Amino acid sequence: MAVSIRPLLPLLLFLIPFFYSVSVLHQKWNPEDTKKLSPKRPDQLILGPAAGQGLPNRLQCQGVRAMNKIDPSTKNSHSGDQISFVTVFTIYKSDPTNEKILDKVTVGEILYSAKSERSLAILNTYINFIQVSMPSSNVVVLTDPDSTFLLDRNNAIKLPIEGDYSRSNLMLQRIKSYIAYLKRIQESYEMEKSNKNIIFSDSDIAVVDNLGDIFQKHPDFHMALTFRNNKNQPLNSGFIAVRGTQDGISKAIVILEEVLDVYMSKYMGASRMLGDQLALYWVIKSHLPSAMQQFNRHESFTGKVKGVSVLFLPCAIYNWTPPEGAGQFHGMPLNVKIVHFKGSRKRLMLESWNFYNSTSNISNMLCLILCSGRTKYDF
C-alpha cells in the first residue's frame, strides 16, 4: 500500500534549507580562525565607566578621582584596629626553563620575571595595605617550615607550621594551620593574659579601611564569616574573624575542627580551591539552617552554631571582589573595607598599590580599581 508524502511536504520544505545551512556553516567554520579573531588582552590597565554611577551608597568617580569617598587615613584611629592578620603562604618551585617571555610583567618601574617573584610581591602588597589602613596591626604568615622566602618587614613575621602545603592540599592545610595557630595562642594566653583579635584571610586582599569596628560594633560574637548570595557557595572562607579572648579562641577551634572533619570525610574530591568553602557551608547549614534564608540579604546577622556565636557579614562590604570588566555589577559600596583580587585580578592589586604609592589617596585608588578592565597576564 503506497504511502502519500503530500502531508510531509511542508515539513520537508522547511528542513531542507536548514540542513543545507548547517552543512555550509560546518564546512566554513575553522577553530583556528576563531583563535585568530579573538582579541588579545592588553598589557596595561584599561579604564572604562565606573559601575554604580548615580546610585546611592556607591562610590562616584570622575575618571580616577573619587567624588564621595572619605579617605580612611583621615579618620581617628582607635584601639579596635590592633588586630593580628593571619594568612597562609608558600612559594612553589618552578622550572626556569619553562618560564615564558610573556610571563614577565612590568608594574610601574618593577619587572616581575617569575611567578615566585609575583607571588611574593602580592604578599608584600597585602602587608603594605594593612600597614596603611591599620598601622597598629601585625601580620603573621603561616608557612611550610621548608619555605626559604624572606620576610624582612616591620610588624610581620613568618611562623612555620608542619604540614602538606602542596597545591592540591593547600586549602585543607590552611584549615589545619589555622587550628594549630589558635592552639598556640590558647596555650600562651594564660601567660600573656590578653591577645589581639584575629583575622584569617587570603593574602590577595587589600585592606582599605579599619576593620576594628567589627569587634566594637558586634561585641558578643566569637567568630565572624562573610556571606554572599550564591546558592552553592554562600560562605567565603577567605575571611574569618576570631575574637581574641580565651573563650573566642576556644570556640573558633570547635568550629574549625568540625570543618576539618567534614572536609576530610566529604570533600577530599572537590576542586582544590573549593573543599574548605563547601565544608564550612555544610557545618553552618547543619547546625543553623535558618541562616540560609538570610544570605540573599545585605545585612549582618548572628546565630548560634554548636554553642558558638557566629556573626555573618555581607561580602559586598567585607570581601568585595572587583568585576572582570568596567560597568559590571552595581559598583563599589561606599563603606567597603576589603578588596579581594581573585585569579587574574591579582595584577590589579599590584597596579593599585603602585597607584596609591604615587598619590597617597585610598579613595582615588578605589576608583582606579572600579574603572579598570582586564589585564593580559594571569598571576
Side-chain angles (χ1 to χ4, degrees), residues 6 10 25 54 86 161-162 166 257 299:
R6 184 171 296 175
L25 180 62
V86 182
I161 291 181
E162 293 288 346
S166 61
E257 285 186 332
E299 299 175 354

Coordinates of all heavy atoms in Angstrom, one line a residue, residues 6 10 25 54 86 161-162 166 257 299:
R6 N 2.4 13.7 0.6 CA 1.9 15.1 0.5 C 1.8 15.8 1.8 O 2.2 16.9 1.9 CB 0.6 15.0 -0.3 CG 0.0 16.4 -0.5 CD -1.2 16.3 -1.4 NE -0.8 15.8 -2.7 CZ -1.7 15.6 -3.7 NH1 -3.0 15.7 -3.5 NH2 -1.3 15.1 -4.9
P10 N 5.3 20.1 3.5 CA 5.6 21.4 4.2 C 6.8 21.3 5.1 O 7.6 22.1 5.2 CB 4.3 21.8 4.9 CG 3.2 21.1 4.2 CD 3.9 19.8 3.7
L25 N 27.8 25.9 7.0 CA 28.5 26.5 8.2 C 29.6 25.6 8.7 O 30.6 26.0 9.1 CB 27.4 26.8 9.2 CG 28.0 27.4 10.5 CD1 28.6 28.8 10.2 CD2 26.9 27.6 11.6
G54 N 25.6 57.4 40.0 CA 24.3 57.9 40.3 C 23.5 57.1 41.3 O 22.4 57.5 41.7
V86 N 46.3 37.0 59.9 CA 47.0 35.7 59.7 C 46.7 35.2 58.4 O 45.5 35.0 58.0 CB 46.6 34.7 60.8 CG1 47.3 33.4 60.7 CG2 46.8 35.3 62.2
I161 N 54.7 26.1 60.3 CA 53.8 25.1 60.9 C 53.9 23.9 60.0 O 53.7 23.9 58.8 CB 52.4 25.6 61.0 CG1 52.3 26.7 62.1 CG2 51.4 24.5 61.3 CD1 50.9 27.3 62.3
E162 N 54.2 22.7 60.6 CA 54.3 21.5 59.8 C 53.1 21.1 59.1 O 52.0 21.4 59.6 CB 54.7 20.3 60.8 CG 56.1 20.4 61.4 CD 57.2 20.2 60.4 OE1 56.9 19.7 59.3 OE2 58.4 20.5 60.8
S166 N 51.3 21.4 49.5 CA 51.3 21.2 48.1 C 50.0 21.9 47.5 O 49.0 22.1 48.2 CB 51.3 19.7 47.7 OG 50.1 19.1 48.3
E257 N 37.6 22.8 63.7 CA 37.9 21.3 63.8 C 36.7 20.5 63.2 O 37.0 19.5 62.5 CB 38.1 20.9 65.3 CG 39.4 21.3 65.8 CD 39.7 20.8 67.2 OE1 38.8 20.5 67.9 OE2 40.9 20.6 67.5
E299 N 22.5 42.4 55.0 CA 22.6 42.9 56.4 C 23.3 41.9 57.2 O 23.1 40.7 57.1 CB 21.2 43.2 56.9 CG 20.4 44.2 56.2 CD 19.0 44.4 56.7 OE1 18.6 43.6 57.6 OE2 18.3 45.3 56.2

